[in-house]
Amino acid sequence: MSAAEDSNEKVLVGVIGGSGLYHLDNLKFIKHVNPETPWGHPSSPITICALPNGTRVAFLARHGIGHSITPSNVPARANIAALKSLGVRVVLAFSAVGSLREEIAPGDVVLPSQVIDRTKGVRPASFFDGSIVAHASFGDPFANRLVRWLEDRVRIVLDEEAERIKTAGEQRAPPKLHTDKCIVCMEGPQFSTRAESQLYRSWGGDIINMSVLPEAKLAREAELSYALIATATDYDAWRPHEATVTAAEVFKTLQTNAAISRHVAATVLEALHDAAADGELLSEEAGSMRFSIMPRSEKQNEGDKKKLQFILPEYFN
Ligand SMILES: CSC[C@H]1O[C@H](OP(=O)(O)O)[C@H](O)[C@@H]1O
Ligand SMILES: Nc1ncnc2[nH]cnc12
């Protein structure tokens, strides 16, 4: 088998790091790449690194390495297109989120299954914004199979963390895992008002961030399996007798949360690559756009086709 055919050489898994998560642990640095996509360059050069068994993964810092890009200005189309161009099929995205529920405490980990879009109209949210029209299915915004696959593994990491906290005699509650939750994605950069925070709770929102959209929508359009691993940093602005969230409060938990996120990544990435290579996790999203793209018309512009070839070569050749 040639090196190029070796599955370790393929970069099937991409990790997007959010606030506080600007690198992963215990990985061998291979190279930086900075692909130019039809939607520009990604937030920062993408790090290709090798896991202990040689498997390669791609890491991208959503807000740039120096956290210089606001959530509204993240070049999400370039990020997703760049990852896809490297061969990535599965994206694990990490995010710092506010909690809209008492039982989701700062430090806890959440795997959401639903999302409410409060960014609509402000950010470019589709690869199909020219003469070629597509309507991707987004009823289940996260890759269900991938989320289920992650649940057990994240739980194991949190059990280990609970044991470590106990042994170290740390006076804090161990982080809990919450599944099947609904995330509200708001337009920042300012945090919500008390009234908005209450409103999102009444809508069924459980956590809130500023970054999961349009990232998750674009991943779906690019036929990537995408899951969000959220870590709570604060209680947003809904608690009547408490101060509302400040950036300083978010920063307090960011480092501890980033350590958990790194631990999760270190625990799951090898098996995730193998599951992706088997096709086990990809069957829902791969091929999903075939029936989402409106039938070809005379009016399809060659330039638009060429752009879309970058993310979906099988439909635009
Ligand atoms: C630093 S507080 C608000 C900021 O944090 C989250 O970023 P990310 O999702 O990239 O971890 C949130 O979405 C906001 O962008
Ligand atoms: N309360 C909050 N609102 C929006 N994004 C956040 N990221 C972390 N905490 C947040």
Side-chain angles (χ1 to χ4, degrees):
M1 186 189 286
S2 75
E5 285 163 342
D6 183 342
S7 85
N8 278 351
E9 290 282 303
K10 291 188 185 151
V11 186
L12 288 177
V13 179
V15 176
I16 300 182
S19 299
L21 190 65
Y22 309 107
H23 67 272
L24 296 176
D25 271 349
N26 299 329
L27 299 177
K28 186 167 156 237
F29 173 81
I30 308 275
K31 59 181 170 183
H32 279 135
V33 291
N34 194 12
E36 180 167 14
T37 79
W39 298 274
H41 285 284
S43 298
S44 57
I46 297 173
T47 311
I48 307 293
C49 30
L51 301 173
N53 74 348
T55 297
R56 292 183 177 200
V57 296
F59 177 82
L60 170 61
R62 182 184 288 123
H63 302 278
I65 295 293
H67 203 124
S68 54
I69 307 175
T70 68
S72 312
N73 291 334
V74 169
R77 291 191 294 188
N79 288 351
I80 294 296
L83 289 172
K84 180 98 195 246
S85 76
L86 299 175
V88 164
R89 294 294 175 269
V90 176
V91 174
L92 273 197
F94 288 88
S95 173
V97 301
S99 167
L100 299 172
R101 301 286 157 194
E102 195 64 52
E103 64 276 16
I104 303 176
D108 284 0
V109 179
V110 188
L111 293 175
S113 57
Q114 279 299 321
V115 58
I116 293 173
D117 191 353
R118 289 276 300 163
T119 68
K120 271 200 168 82
V122 182
R123 308 173 184 189
S126 175
F127 289 111
F128 295 84
D129 63 345
S131 63
I132 303 174
V133 178
H135 301 284
S137 294
F138 203 57
D140 291 309
F142 301 101
N144 284 335
R145 207 163 282 174
L146 172 60
V147 175
R148 294 284 161 255
W149 185 96
L150 283 169
E151 265 178 37
D152 295 341
R153 287 153 178 97
V154 174
R155 199 164 273 122
I156 291 170
V157 172
L158 296 191
D159 286 348
E160 285 170 8
E161 178 65 3
E163 206 46 51
R164 195 197 60 72
I165 290 173
K166 200 167 137 201
T167 311
E170 289 179 25
Q171 297 303 305
R172 64 182 173 105
K176 290 200 192 85
L177 174 65
H178 306 267
T179 57
D180 290 314
K181 299 296 174 202
C182 177
I183 181 164
V184 176
C185 188
M186 60 169 290
E187 194 58 54
Q190 300 84 359
F191 291 114
S192 306
T193 64
R194 288 185 190 270
E196 286 163 341
S197 197
Q198 292 283 4
L199 179 70
Y200 302 148
R201 276 164 55 79
S202 76
W203 286 351
D206 299 303
I207 52 175
I208 182 163
N209 84 349
M210 304 176 190
S211 310
V212 67
L213 295 176
E215 201 170 86
K217 289 183 174 176
L218 296 164
R220 180 60 51 83
E221 286 188 346
E223 295 190 343
L224 300 180
S225 297
Y226 176 100
L228 189 78
I229 302 184
T231 46
T233 50
D234 55 85
Y235 277 114
D236 201 44
W238 57 271
R239 288 163 129 201
H241 305 294
E242 303 286 341
T244 63
V245 58
T246 62
E249 185 189 2
V250 170
F251 297 147
K252 263 194 245 157
T253 29
L254 224 42
Q255 290 319 314
T256 325
N257 287 1
I260 289 285
S261 300
R262 283 194 195 96
H263 191 171
V264 168
T267 307
V268 306
L269 285 176
E270 280 183 14
L272 185 54
H273 169 93
D274 292 348
D278 285 352
E280 191 190 317
L281 294 175
L282 307 179
S283 50
E284 284 172 306
E285 287 74 29
S288 65
M289 289 301 287
R290 182 169 298 281
F291 302 107
S292 303
I293 301 164
M294 299 306 276
R296 283 164 185 258
S297 77
E298 303 284 294
K299 299 221 164 75
Q300 281 191 1
N301 166 301
E302 282 307 314
D304 291 339
K305 276 196 216 168
K306 207 159 165 28
K307 277 168 92 173
L308 290 166
Q309 241 172 39
F310 195 87
I311 50 157
L312 294 168
E314 53 280 53
Y315 306 133
F316 299 98
N317 43 34

